[in-house]
Amino acid sequence: MRPLARRPCGAGKQVPQDTFAIKCDEVLKTGAVLQDMRGKIDWYPNVEHPYWFRRRALMDARATAIRLYETHFMPGLLQTGDYSSSPVLHARCGP
């Protein structure tokens, strides 16, 4: 399997993980300032979602359980590495 392509460091395209903010707070001895700031930033200000997305996001936020029914594939969290790469490796193009 090929490694995933990586974005160049410092390109400003990735949202930092919360663990990164925690570690920076420790190293810089800033208390929890960076963690707090990370939580207040709108990381995707220019994203325009389809009209139905807001309703769907509200439903997901209120959901106590999400059920999924698949006839051909096992849901992602239950997949092993071999299972998840199998459909891609064995896909046929055309008839």
Side-chain angles (χ1 to χ4, degrees), residues 9 23-24 29 32 40 47 52 55 62 66 84 86-87:
C9 292
K23 190 66 175 173
C24 287
K29 298 179 174 82
K40 295 175 183 173
V47 174
W52 51 264
R55 182 172 171 257
R62 289 191 305 248
I66 297 176
S84 63
S86 180

Side-chain angles (χ1 to χ4, degrees), residues 12-86:
K13 304 280 186 193
Q14 297 177 348
V15 176
Q17 298 289 324
D18 57 342
T19 53
F20 179 74
I22 292 167
K23 190 66 175 173
C24 287
D25 276 331
E26 288 174 14
V27 171
L28 300 172
K29 298 179 174 82
T30 55
V33 172
L34 298 175
Q35 294 173 60
D36 292 342
M37 287 174 55
R38 183 187 175 280
K40 295 175 183 173
I41 294 173
D42 182 4
W43 293 102
Y44 305 102
N46 299 323
V47 174
E48 291 188 30
H49 298 292
Y51 70 93
W52 51 264
F53 183 80
R54 180 172 169 76
R55 182 172 171 257
R56 172 62 191 261
L58 291 171
M59 290 188 323
D60 285 354
R62 289 191 305 248
T64 57
I66 297 176
R67 294 185 170 88
L68 176 69
Y69 179 77
E70 288 284 346
T71 58
H72 295 358
F73 293 103
M74 186 177 297
L77 292 176
L78 303 176
Q79 294 177 3
T80 63
D82 290 339
Y83 179 86
S84 63
S85 62
S86 180

